Amino acid sequence: MGTRHPSKSSYRKEQPIFTTRAHVFQIDPTTKKNWVPASKQAVTVSYFYDSTRNSYRIISVDGSKVIINSTITPNMTFTKTSQKFGQWADSRANTVFGLGFASEQQLMKFADKFQEVKEAAKLARDKSQEKMETSSNHSQESGRETPSSNQVSSMNGTDDEKISHTPDTMALKSENDRLKTAVEQSNSNAKKCETELQALRESNARLLDALQEANSSVENWKAQAAACQEENNALKNKIVELELQCKEVNQEKERNAQLTLRVQQLETELQDKQQELENLRKQAEIIPQLMAECETITAKLQAAEQSSKESRGKVTALQGEVEDSQQKHTHMKTELKKFMDLLEGKIDELHEVRQGLSKLGIDN
């Protein structure tokens, strides 16, 4: 955007007098309203003093690219548009530079240094103008006095004096011509300076308009940024509330799912226990039959014992039957005892399951 690249020789003559770090921006040359970042991150921004030219410049380099090369003039003004942002217009570069600092203290130091350098540049310009005016006045006075002195000497002197003063007259004429040429060049330079000054004034007026528009845009951006920030905070709070509600809902769903699964397991266990109980009931129906058989066998045994008294032979024949019957009776008693123990255990388990279902129903 019209930034001039300083030469290596100019760097050798200039010395840094103040250095800071900031994000660099330039005004959009098309809209003259929006800021365009000139650096991706904070870079070094320095004030340089050129002792040979008695001038001051602000220079910033991002890698190998020069992003600021602004010569400070007395007409420049550094404007602080916010607590951490400031800008100034450079008519020579035909742009407006903006700097974003990390703190308000850094911005204040940079602004104070800008004002100090601006005053120094103004003093240097005033001294230079005084020197030019003194030199121009001296040249004009010398040009006016030299011909008159030559005329007096030529009018009052003798022929010998005229002859003897001829070389001096030629030297004076040569000096007069040289001074006239210097005066003409000075006048020409003055006209050029006036033309450049007028152009700079016009450019400065345009840049001031752009600066005012930029300031207005900054205020609008600030208002929009504040509104967006408030809306963002409100949305963040709403998101946090919704996340908490979703978390509670998910926890409730997990508890309901666990309870549903537990109920299903208990229902399955209850069905199994009921099936076992039904089987035990069916088996219990057989017990009277077994008892009747046992009683029948006992009666037969008694009858056999009585008949043994009557006939030893029958006893011998029936002894095997009695022994078999006793074994069957013993085996049946053992099986019956085992069955009764098993039945009692199943009844106890069924009782525990019913108690668990009752407790679960009360919890739900």
Side-chain angles (χ1 to χ4, degrees):
M1 298 178 66
T3 303
R4 296 173 295 169
H5 294 263
S7 62
K8 294 181 179 180
S9 61
S10 65
Y11 281 143
R12 288 194 294 268
K13 291 185 293 183
E14 292 176 313
Q15 295 295 330
I17 58 176
F18 180 83
T19 300
T20 186
R21 291 184 67 82
H23 290 270
V24 180
F25 300 86
Q26 289 187 11
I27 202 71
D28 190 342
T30 304
T31 62
K32 297 294 184 181
K33 293 181 179 180
N34 300 325
W35 288 108
V36 178
S39 62
K40 295 181 179 179
Q41 57 188 0
V43 295
T44 301
V45 182
S46 303
Y47 286 93
F48 280 83
Y49 173 63
D50 189 347
S51 58
T52 58
R53 298 181 180 179
N54 197 19
S55 63
Y56 298 87
R57 287 198 295 174
I58 299 175
I59 295 175
S60 179
V61 180
D62 187 7
S64 59
K65 179 182 177 183
V66 178
I67 55 180
I68 298 180
N69 181 18
S70 177
T71 301
I72 300 176
T73 63
N75 297 328
M76 286 185 178
T77 301
F78 184 80
T79 304
K80 292 177 286 186
T81 58
S82 67
Q83 293 182 350
K84 298 181 182 181
F85 192 86
Q87 61 189 40
W88 77 96
D90 189 342
S91 58
R92 295 184 180 180
N94 193 24
T95 187
V96 179
F97 293 102
L99 296 180
F101 295 90
S103 64
E104 185 178 3
Q105 185 178 6
Q106 292 181 355
L107 173 61
M108 294 299 296
K109 288 182 179 179
F110 188 89
D112 294 340
K113 195 65 180 179
F114 192 98
Q115 186 65 26
E116 178 184 340
V117 170
K118 175 183 173 181
E119 294 295 333
K122 183 177 181 181
L123 292 176
R125 185 191 67 176
D126 294 341
K127 289 181 180 179
S128 177
Q129 288 180 352
E130 289 177 0
K131 289 181 180 179
M132 290 179 62
E133 290 175 357
T134 303
S135 176
S136 177
N137 293 333
H138 179 70
S139 299
Q140 291 177 359
E141 290 175 359
S142 299
R144 288 195 299 268
E145 291 174 357
T146 302
S148 62
S149 62
N150 289 337
Q151 290 175 1
V152 171
S153 66
S154 62
M155 289 172 64
N156 297 331
T158 60
D159 293 338
D160 294 336
E161 289 174 350
K162 292 178 182 179
I163 294 171
S164 63
H165 290 161
T166 299
D168 294 337
T169 303
M170 295 298 293
L172 290 172
K173 286 183 178 180
S174 176
E175 182 68 18
N176 191 20
D177 292 339
R178 187 180 66 79
L179 291 174
K180 286 181 178 180
T181 303
V183 170
E184 292 175 356
Q185 290 179 353
S186 178
N187 293 332
S188 177
N189 290 333
K191 292 180 180 180
K192 289 182 180 179
C193 289
E194 289 179 357
T195 303
E196 291 180 357
L197 181 60
Q198 183 63 26
L200 290 174
R201 286 175 179 171
E202 294 176 356
S203 179
N204 192 25
R206 291 194 301 271
L207 290 174
L208 286 175
D209 293 338
L211 183 60
Q212 291 176 356
E213 293 179 359
N215 290 333
S216 177
S217 299
V218 167
E219 295 300 328
N220 292 332
W221 294 340
K222 286 181 181 178
Q224 293 177 3
C228 291
Q229 185 67 29
E230 292 179 358
E231 185 178 358
N232 189 19
N233 293 333
L235 290 174
K236 285 182 178 178
N237 295 331
K238 187 65 175 177
I239 289 172
V240 171
E241 294 177 359
L242 291 175
E243 287 178 350
L244 292 174
Q245 293 178 1
C246 290
K247 188 175 181 180
E248 293 176 356
V249 170
N250 291 332
Q251 291 177 353
E252 190 66 26
K253 286 182 178 179
E254 290 178 359
R255 287 196 295 268
N256 291 336
Q258 292 175 357
L259 290 174
T260 302
L261 181 62
R262 180 60 179 166
V263 169
Q264 291 177 354
Q265 291 176 352
L266 291 175
E267 288 178 352
T268 303
E269 292 179 359
L270 180 60
Q271 291 176 358
D272 294 338
K273 297 298 182 181
Q274 288 178 349
Q275 185 65 34
E276 291 180 1
L277 182 60
E278 187 67 24
N279 294 332
L280 290 174
R281 286 177 179 175
K282 291 180 180 179
Q283 293 178 2
E285 292 175 354
I286 305 174
I287 293 175
Q289 297 178 0
L290 294 176
M291 293 296 293
E293 291 180 359
C294 182
E295 291 176 354
T296 303
I297 293 172
T298 303
K300 287 181 179 181
L301 180 60
Q302 291 176 355
E305 288 178 351
Q306 290 178 358
S307 62
S308 63
K309 293 178 181 180
E310 295 176 356
S311 178
R312 295 281 184 183
K314 290 181 179 181
V315 169
T316 302
L318 295 173
Q319 188 174 1
E321 294 180 2
V322 171
E323 290 177 354
D324 292 337
S325 298
Q326 288 179 349
Q327 289 179 355
K328 287 181 180 180
H329 180 70
T330 303
H331 180 70
M332 288 178 66
K333 284 184 177 182
T334 303
E335 291 295 327
L336 181 61
K337 186 178 181 180
K338 290 181 181 180
F339 179 76
M340 292 297 293
D341 294 336
L342 179 62
L343 181 60
E344 289 177 357
K346 295 296 182 178
I347 291 172
D348 293 336
E349 289 179 0
L350 181 60
H351 183 65
E352 290 177 356
V353 170
R354 287 181 177 176
Q355 288 181 349
L357 287 175
S358 300
K359 185 178 180 180
L360 181 60
I362 294 172
D363 292 339
N364 288 334

